[in-house]
Amino acid sequence: MTYAPEDVRTSCDCGGLLEVDLAIPPVTRELFDGRLGAVDHPLRSGVWRFRELMPNFPDDVIVSKPEGNTNLYNDQRLSDYAGTDVWFKHEGENPTGSFKDRGMTVGISHARWTNATMVACASTGNTSAAVAAYAATAGIPSVVFIPEGKISAAKLGQTIAYGTTIIQVRGDFDAAMTMVREATSRYGIYLLNSLNPFRLEGQKSIVLEALQQLHWQLPDWIVVPGGNLGNTSALGKALREALAAGLIESMPRIAVVQAAGAAPFYRAWQTRFAEYSPIAASTVASAIQIGDPVNYTKARRVVLDSEGTVTSVDDDAILAAKAMIDRVGIGCEPASAAGLAGIRRLISEGVIQQGERVLTYLTGNLLKDTEASADYYITNAGAQPVVIDPTLEALDRALANIL
Ligand code: F0G
């Protein structure tokens, strides 16, 4: 089934999710490279730089903060830890601290274009902050549904600050997701979760920008943490379109990493997707504590089409990988470190070969889930801050151990 872009809906009458079908004009690497460093709206955005690969909205409809233009890091210590050469695309450097901003600029622009009077999402933290910020920028009221007591205090504070209505659901993320789907269909509110195909369009730009930064030299593998599996779906669509447009010559392989306590996609992969069942999710990586990913079907296609794989890592492996990323001065939130932990596991199993080049996304900022990481550093690395009186004796004592 095909629907017009003015028709605000996230699923087809058959029940499946929708995908944006773009008519992509001829494009070249040079076209996009020539826009690097642009200073004007909207091409200065790392999303709208790829305008021909995005839905077509007029400039004055586009709501951009501007997002993207995030750094790509490579550090020998992290490559040694992983067991192969790894590049980290730091999406925590986006305006609200996660990759969600890239999807949000397209989603909110579509909301504005279709005259939405209110927007909504369910969230494990990052989406709610992005919705609140972009809705505030656009001047559209917003409401966000979060699982009570299950999102990072920093994210809650950030979301409140942008001025939104917060509804805390007694239950998990999946329950909040059910509530927001009900709310949006009952009251005609515009839904900004990754069920929304326009969100995924913006998220395509993560890999496009990373490829530009790699001088269009394809990595062998792209490894992403998986929760609701929107990013995985967007990554696959971006690569399919880039291949069809002649921007790349082949498909890299895609690996999805889930937290062991929140791994319904990994479990399904173990049956080669013959069986799928939702689970009750539990992990220290709050962003990916999701038991019933809405983009399951799209993501399954991405793994199969790219001859990819799915793996899982436990919370200790996630926090150990995060400690490595933090300690070299890059830093990320726990969910983001699942990528590095997953690469390490896949190398040890021989799925990724030593010497293959890997790109992974650091999906969110270090300033999230700080309670969990502080506990980890104090317990495992004796990183308890020292408190002293303002005297020279106390100063000497405090420094004695480190000088
Ligand atoms: N990493 C971070 C930091 C996230 O916030 C999320 C999702 C993911 C990874 C997983 O991405 O859902 O596309 O597979 N966070 C959502 C939220 C669910 O509400 O912020 P995915």
Side-chain angles (χ1 to χ4, degrees):
M1 290 286 288
T2 307
Y3 302 93
E6 296 82 2
D7 193 353
V8 178
R9 47 160 69 228
T10 55
S11 56
C12 135
D13 290 336
C14 65
L17 293 188
L18 297 175
E19 196 166 80
V20 176
D21 186 11
L22 294 176
I24 299 176
V27 286
T28 59
R29 295 173 177 180
E30 292 71 30
L31 171 71
F32 300 126
D33 289 350
R35 293 174 181 166
L36 284 168
V39 288
D40 293 324
H41 173 83
L43 294 183
R44 64 183 173 172
S45 153
V47 174
W48 298 103
R49 180 187 317 133
F50 303 99
R51 199 162 185 178
E52 291 75 9
L53 305 177
M54 294 293 149
N56 190 7
F57 301 123
D59 284 7
D60 60 348
V61 166
I62 293 175
V63 184
S64 168
K65 289 184 56 74
E67 47 293 312
N69 293 308
T70 57
N71 287 303
L72 186 68
Y73 295 95
N74 176 242
D75 186 292
Q76 191 56 48
R77 291 164 289 183
L78 297 181
S79 293
D80 290 345
Y81 180 78
T84 199
D85 192 24
V86 183
W87 292 82
F88 295 86
K89 179 71 173 151
H90 207 326
E91 290 301 297
E93 295 175 350
N94 272 293
T96 76
S98 83
F99 71 93
K100 306 287 179 179
D101 294 343
R102 292 185 185 257
M104 220 45 80
T105 179
V106 181
I108 202 91
S109 299
H110 182 247
R112 184 191 248 183
W113 189 65
T114 55
N115 299 314
T117 52
M118 184 175 278
V119 295
C121 73
S123 181
T124 55
N126 285 320
T127 302
S128 59
V131 164
Y134 279 78
T137 306
I140 303 175
S142 62
V143 52
V144 307
F145 291 74
I146 56 170
E148 188 197 19
K150 295 198 173 69
I151 82 166
S152 156
K155 268 327 229 217
L156 186 57
Q158 183 188 12
T159 303
I160 291 170
Y162 290 128
T164 185
T165 303
I166 297 183
I167 298 182
Q168 307 212 53
V169 179
R170 283 193 201 98
D172 56 13
F173 168 80
D174 303 288
M177 193 71 230
T178 305
M179 288 291 108
V180 78
R181 290 179 85 162
E182 285 294 334
T184 50
S185 75
R186 285 157 92 97
Y187 300 105
I189 303 171
Y190 187 98
L191 179 62
L192 276 170
N193 277 99
S194 59
L195 288 165
N196 178 331
F198 289 93
R199 271 270 316 271
L200 300 189
E201 290 302 297
Q203 284 168 216
K204 293 187 315 192
S205 66
I206 308 174
V207 68
L208 298 171
E209 192 174 88
L211 289 176
Q212 256 193 320
Q213 289 165 310
L214 291 168
H215 304 284
W216 300 98
Q217 299 293 306
L218 275 184
D220 298 294
W221 285 88
I222 302 178
V223 180
V224 288
N228 232 357
L229 302 174
N231 235 355
T232 307
S233 309
L235 169 60
K237 187 168 191 280
L239 293 171
R240 285 197 300 274
E241 289 173 350
L243 194 61
L247 292 170
I248 57 175
E249 289 92 34
S250 60
M251 270 302 247
R253 300 177 74 185
I254 293 170
V256 179
V257 186
Q258 296 211 289
F265 194 54
Y266 172 63
R267 288 196 196 182
W269 165 251
Q270 287 178 306
T271 69
R272 292 302 178 266
F273 300 126
E275 284 165 37
Y276 167 76
S277 38
I279 57 146
S282 170
T283 169
V284 68
S286 64
I288 52 175
Q289 187 165 306
I290 296 175
D292 190 12
V294 297
N295 290 295
Y296 172 80
T297 308
K298 286 183 183 176
R300 181 178 64 184
R301 174 181 173 199
V302 173
V303 170
L304 293 174
D305 284 0
S306 74
E307 293 177 32
T309 191
V310 186
T311 191
S312 78
V313 285
D314 65 24
D315 283 0
D316 285 345
I318 289 175
L319 290 172
K322 173 178 153 53
M324 290 301 299
I325 295 166
D326 292 350
R327 291 283 162 100
V328 301
I330 296 175
C332 65
E333 69 166 275
S336 310
L340 177 59
I343 297 166
R344 199 169 142 91
R345 173 167 175 186
L346 291 170
I347 290 269
S348 75
E349 292 171 351
V351 179
I352 300 180
Q353 307 291 318
Q354 281 184 10
E356 287 191 305
R357 262 175 22 124
V358 183
L359 168 68
T360 188
Y361 296 176
L362 296 178
T363 45
N365 195 282
L366 170 74
L367 292 172
K368 182 170 166 199
D369 288 334
T370 44
E371 308 84 350
S373 51
D375 284 353
Y376 179 83
Y377 289 121
I378 290 167
T379 315
N380 292 283
Q384 181 78 52
V386 181
V387 182
I388 63 166
D389 292 323
T391 65
L392 288 180
E393 296 73 36
L395 178 67
D396 290 342
R397 264 199 315 277
L399 292 180
N401 288 338
I402 58 166
L403 288 175

